Amino acid sequence: MVLTTIYLTRHGFRVNWTLNPDTGKYHTNVQSPTKISSDPPLAAYGVEQAEQLAEALLNLHPKIDRFYSSPFYRCLQTIHPTIKKLQGSVEIRGDNGLGEWYGTARFDHPSPASPPLLQSLFPSYSLKYKPSIIPSVSGETLQELHDRCAYAMTHIITNLDQEEGAPEAILICTHAASLIAIGRALTGRMPESADDQDFNPYTCGLSKFTRKDIPGKGDHTGIEEWKRGAGIPRVDWRAGKGIAGGWDCVLNGDCSHLKAGAERNWHFSGDESFTTTSESDSAAIESAAVSGAESSSHPKGALGGNDTGAGSKL
């Protein structure tokens, strides 16, 4: 068997947090099980979305053979109902290369929890799997985000192509910005403006990509391994080429399985940066906290996530 299908979803509606860009300190009124302020759990509504998503995921064709996820809690929590209904027959491969996009900053952004802690919270979390790449804690530019996601997906697909008994279909659970970047890397379609709305990262929506060129036996090639402290290995995916033979998007952010339909779409709004902050922005940021829910109005960069409008993406 060979990989022919990639399903892509964004985590469910999450609890909020705030960031003071002057100090680099994150704050939340709802503590995460990982004890990391910028790693919130799903809100109650997001838990309901995850349950509804699970029903859809369990009835896909081809069926999901392998689960990959951003190692942030909200993504793992989103696919947990599906894993639970499969009764522990599959593992979750957490990959930092599928993680959230943080803009460039003069402070360090938080990292996800350690694999042992995540496995204690999600028993199906694999301790053997090695992430493809780990993003810089000082943040990324838009171009770096796209290149990181292209490399991570190329790494995942290439390694699967070399496996005996490779899966036919996999699921990726990620975040809004990363989902858009992954869709562009798979199809090779990078719009003239990164802000264009091309792929729809609705909360618990579902996208499906099918492979254009199926590799034959012996056609598999290796990939440069990322080394800690080094740059992102180059992957040639733009200009319609796509990664690993190219992919077609045959389902874009479908939400027919969700009772409330499509919610929380998102798009880029230029590069996100925490390198300078005005006094007025700082005051607004301090008043932007929302307990247990997502805000729909805040200054760009005020929240460390992209679940709301443009400029807030986790």
Side-chain angles (χ1 to χ4, degrees), residues 18-19 278-289 297-299 302-303:
T18 58
L19 164 66
S278 69
E279 290 183 6
S280 60
D281 279 350
S282 294
I285 288 167
E286 286 301 318
S287 65
S297 178
H298 56 269
L303 297 181

Side-chain angles (χ1 to χ4, degrees), residues 90-131:
V90 294
E91 67 177 10
I92 302 172
R93 295 185 172 185
D95 198 315
N96 300 59
L98 306 173
E100 185 51 276
W101 174 49
Y102 291 101
T104 54
R106 59 185 183 278
F107 51 82
D108 286 353
H109 292 293
S111 298
S114 68
L117 176 56
L118 292 175
Q119 191 190 54
S120 73
L121 298 168
F122 302 99
S124 295
Y125 194 89
S126 174
L127 294 180
K128 295 181 180 179
Y129 180 75
K130 180 182 177 183

Side-chain angles (χ1 to χ4, degrees), residues 126-140:
S126 174
L127 294 180
K128 295 181 180 179
Y129 180 75
K130 180 182 177 183
S132 58
I133 186 171
I134 298 176
S136 170
V137 293
S138 59
E140 302 166 298

Side-chain angles (χ1 to χ4, degrees), residues 219-297:
D219 290 345
H220 310 305
T221 57
I223 183 171
E224 179 185 351
E225 291 293 327
W226 171 79
K227 295 179 177 60
R228 188 177 293 273
I232 303 168
R234 176 177 169 76
V235 174
D236 184 15
W237 62 273
R238 290 174 171 82
K241 184 174 182 178
I243 60 174
W247 300 73
D248 289 317
C249 181
V250 297
L251 195 65
N252 186 0
D254 177 63
C255 294
S256 59
H257 53 281
L258 299 175
K259 291 180 180 179
E263 297 180 280
R264 295 292 173 180
N265 205 4
W266 184 88
H267 64 87
F268 290 104
S269 183
D271 256 311
E272 182 178 84
S273 176
F274 300 95
T275 55
T276 58
T277 307
S278 69
E279 290 183 6
S280 60
D281 279 350
S282 294
I285 288 167
E286 286 301 318
S287 65
V290 178
S291 176
E294 299 188 60
S295 168
S296 60
S297 178

